[in-house]
Amino acid sequence: MALGTVTALHELRFDTGRICLDLLATTHPEERLGSVEVVRAWITGSGLVPAGTPLAHADGSWPAAFRELRGHLARLVRGRPAPGTPAYARALARVNDLARAAPPAPRAVPGDDGALVRRLDAPPGSAALLAVIARDAVDLLTDPLARASLRQCEGDNCPIVYLDTSRGRRRRWCSSEICGNRERVARHRRRAAALTRA
């Protein structure tokens, strides 16, 4: 199945501002990483690998590995359970452990038009890709400015956490087109209902 078809079917999103937060977003509004095919689409769509990188070697263990890392990230980023608890310590230890693996080795090669493009030395393994995400989480968690820019979407029942890099740090929703639009529609309906009752 083509990437575009998989993406459309599963509504993969890459708008949180960090790859580790994009992984967290794969739980909403339902589980997104339920198959190897979707994990492949997420890996390519997230930019973990250059377009065209072969991922046919991905097997049934990959979705579980990505979901496991996602669960640990949720504990650390959302702060539940709180720092100092055994579950938090286990999550932090696992993310640190995953970050130790060597990430995929990129190289610059001439493309069809002669411009340099990024390619990988070899098809990446699951551990190498998880290392990239875990390292991004370590960078996020240890950067006080980035941590201070983390926001929880204000949309109804939206658990997405994003990095607010807007001017004035006033971004309210994970996506203005999705949650922001829902809020505007709901506000319009409330005003229309109030006018009808008046």
Side-chain angles (χ1 to χ4, degrees), residues 3 8 16-19 30-31 33 45 62 74 77 95 99 101 105 107 122 126 134 147 164 197:
L3 174 62
T16 65
R18 295 297 288 251
I19 196 165
E30 60 192 24
E31 176 60 59
L33 301 181
W62 286 40
V77 170
V95 168
R107 59 191 173 105
S126 175
R147 259 319 269 229
D164 183 1
R197 287 191 299 261

Side-chain angles (χ1 to χ4, degrees), residues 30-49:
E30 60 192 24
E31 176 60 59
R32 302 291 183 201
L33 301 181
S35 71
V36 176
E37 184 176 64
V38 179
V39 169
R40 286 181 191 136
W42 187 86
I43 290 167
T44 302
S46 69
L48 269 176
V49 298

Side-chain angles (χ1 to χ4, degrees), residues 13-23 25 46 136 140 146 149-150 160-165 171 174:
R13 292 179 54 188
F14 307 100
D15 55 2
T16 65
R18 295 297 288 251
I19 196 165
C20 63
L21 300 178
D22 285 341
L23 181 62
S46 69
D136 182 56
L140 173 66
S149 296
L150 286 176
I160 293 180
V161 175
Y162 60 89
L163 198 62
D164 183 1
T165 57
R171 183 173 159 192
C174 61

Side-chain angles (χ1 to χ4, degrees), residues 20 22 54-55 66 69 74 77 93 97 103 115 122 127 153 157 160 183 190 197:
C20 63
D22 285 341
L55 294 170
F66 278 79
L69 174 55
V77 170
D97 186 48
C153 181
N157 301 315
I160 293 180
E183 176 60 28
R190 286 191 299 270
R197 287 191 299 261

Side-chain angles (χ1 to χ4, degrees), residues 56-73:
H57 61 289
D59 62 31
S61 67
W62 286 40
F66 278 79
R67 289 191 307 263
E68 179 209 359
L69 174 55
R70 183 184 66 199
H72 295 307
L73 293 175

